[in-house]
Amino acid sequence: MPLKVRASLANLGLVVALAGFLFPASIAQAQRAPRGPAAPTVTLTDVKVERMNERVAAVGSARARQQVTLTTRVAGVISEVLFQGGQLVDANQPLVKLNAEPEKIAVETAEAQRAQAADTVERYKLLNEGTIARVTVAQADTALKVADAALRRARDDLDRMTIKAPFKGMMGLSSLQAGDYLAVGNPIATIDDRSTLLIEFTVPEATASSMKIGMPVRASLVTRSGEIYEGKIQAVGTRIDPVTRTLMVRAEIPNPDLKLIPGSTFSISVQLQGDDRPVVPALAIQWDRQGAFVWRVTDKNAVERVNVAILARDADRVHVDADLKAGDKVVFEGGSVLRNGQTVQPQGS
């Protein structure tokens, strides 16, 4: 070996030995220092527990609170049509009049016969009881009662010749006109009480027991989803359909301005009172082959896996079914590279 190289190595050994003699603690500490990467930095968030309100959605067709097709109980020739299609009519308002001359004559005859029978009874009352036999007085009283009954029948027959509205409502279209012959049972027109609409819809068997009369509902027209109408459940079915496994429910929606039309299709939403559930940000949810989970951070800044089942989403938050309680710390950002039991370095919330 050349002399210069040998001298250089000797000098290097002398320097190392001298450093070990002067700084023994520093060299030992350097030898014991960890060689692994530093703890990853993560952002934490607090778990919240909130009431999860489940919403049941359905579609149903509306009908008027009362709706009938008017017919006549007697036959006759129409003398007057007193309504127009789309007209709002009051209860007992005349709609159609039939030719009633024979019925008017019958009423006049019955009134005359009743007046005659009443005069006879009054005359017998003024006479001495010994003059008129009791049998004659009884016959007069009976004749008056028969005349009263005949008069009521004649007036009823006359009243039937005028078809009236059974309730306040909106009249449908009709092609009837004066001079038409109307047979018994022939349809005249429809009438709808549109002050309240009834909407029938079905709910799944799982939520059937939660349906109660008086529960609030929200309805919107399928053709105009931006318009929301408030109502309540008016009736609940008593049996689950064995084929569809659903329950029939009826809601009522006030319609004071008669803007809503029977037969329209509505989207119905019923809010159900749910249970208290943990809520975490959607970004805190991690996924692997075993499913969804979050990283919970312990007091010693170590992460532990907590499996979760997603129940509902609310914007950027998620209701979950998990072993979490209010105030638990979970990893919000930086959880994609962690492993169970790993120590992390929190960086605020």
Side-chain angles (χ1 to χ4, degrees), residues 70-76 98 160-161 163 182-188:
L70 298 175
T71 59
T72 177
R73 296 179 293 173
V74 295
L98 303 178
R160 292 188 181 190
M161 304 307 289
I163 294 91
L182 196 60
V184 176
N186 279 5
I188 297 173

Side-chain angles (χ1 to χ4, degrees), residues 47-58:
V47 175
K48 298 181 180 180
V49 175
E50 298 178 1
R51 180 62 54 90
M52 188 186 75
N53 293 323
E54 185 179 0
R55 188 176 294 274
V56 177

Side-chain angles (χ1 to χ4, degrees), residues 208-269:
S209 60
S210 301
M211 297 294 110
K212 306 295 181 184
I213 295 176
M215 289 182 62
V217 301
R218 303 181 69 188
S220 62
L221 284 167
V222 172
T223 55
R224 298 197 301 270
S225 57
E227 300 179 9
I228 304 299
Y229 303 94
E230 304 290 339
K232 63 181 180 180
I233 292 180
Q234 187 248 7
V236 179
T238 58
R239 296 181 180 180
I240 300 292
D241 189 295
V243 178
T244 62
R245 309 310 304 174
T246 58
L247 179 72
M248 182 67 70
V249 180
R250 180 185 300 155
E252 60 179 6
I253 307 296
N255 187 29
D257 56 0
L258 308 181
K259 179 180 179 181
L260 302 177
I261 303 175
S264 301
T265 303
F266 286 83
S267 295
I268 302 295
S269 176

Side-chain angles (χ1 to χ4, degrees), residues 139-334:
Q139 290 176 346
D141 289 336
T142 302
L144 177 59
K145 294 178 180 179
V146 172
D148 283 336
L151 178 58
R152 288 197 302 270
R153 181 171 183 176
R155 287 175 175 173
D156 182 68
D157 291 341
L158 177 61
D159 186 67
R160 292 188 181 190
M161 304 307 289
T162 300
I163 294 91
K164 301 177 182 178
F167 48 79
K168 182 177 181 179
M170 190 76 68
M171 295 300 302
L173 299 177
S174 176
S175 59
L176 297 180
Q177 56 186 354
D180 287 343
Y181 178 78
L182 196 60
V184 176
N186 279 5
I188 297 173
T190 59
I191 180 171
D192 297 334
D193 179 3
R194 292 163 53 176
S195 59
T196 299
L197 293 190
L198 302 180
I199 306 174
E200 293 185 348
F201 58 97
T202 58
V203 297
E205 182 180 4
T207 58
S209 60
S210 301
M211 297 294 110
K212 306 295 181 184
I213 295 176
M215 289 182 62
V217 301
R218 303 181 69 188
S220 62
L221 284 167
V222 172
T223 55
R224 298 197 301 270
S225 57
E227 300 179 9
I228 304 299
Y229 303 94
E230 304 290 339
K232 63 181 180 180
I233 292 180
Q234 187 248 7
V236 179
T238 58
R239 296 181 180 180
I240 300 292
D241 189 295
V243 178
T244 62
R245 309 310 304 174
T246 58
L247 179 72
M248 182 67 70
V249 180
R250 180 185 300 155
E252 60 179 6
I253 307 296
N255 187 29
D257 56 0
L258 308 181
K259 179 180 179 181
L260 302 177
I261 303 175
S264 301
T265 303
F266 286 83
S267 295
I268 302 295
S269 176
V270 183
Q271 190 78 30
L272 302 181
Q273 193 70 19
D275 300 325
D276 292 334
R277 297 291 185 178
V279 180
V280 298
L283 291 178
I285 305 293
Q286 304 294 321
W287 296 85
D288 62 10
R289 294 180 179 178
Q290 299 179 10
F293 66 95
V294 296
W295 293 116
R296 178 166 53 194
V297 179
T298 66
D299 296 337
K300 298 181 180 180
N301 288 340
V303 295
E304 57 183 3
R305 176 192 176 112
V306 178
N307 294 326
V308 301
I310 298 177
L311 300 176
R313 292 183 178 271
D314 181 11
D316 59 347
R317 308 188 315 155
V318 181
H319 293 263
V320 297
D321 182 12
D323 184 18
L324 296 171
K325 61 181 183 297
D328 283 350
K329 303 287 186 180
V330 297
V331 175
F332 176 58
E333 293 180 342

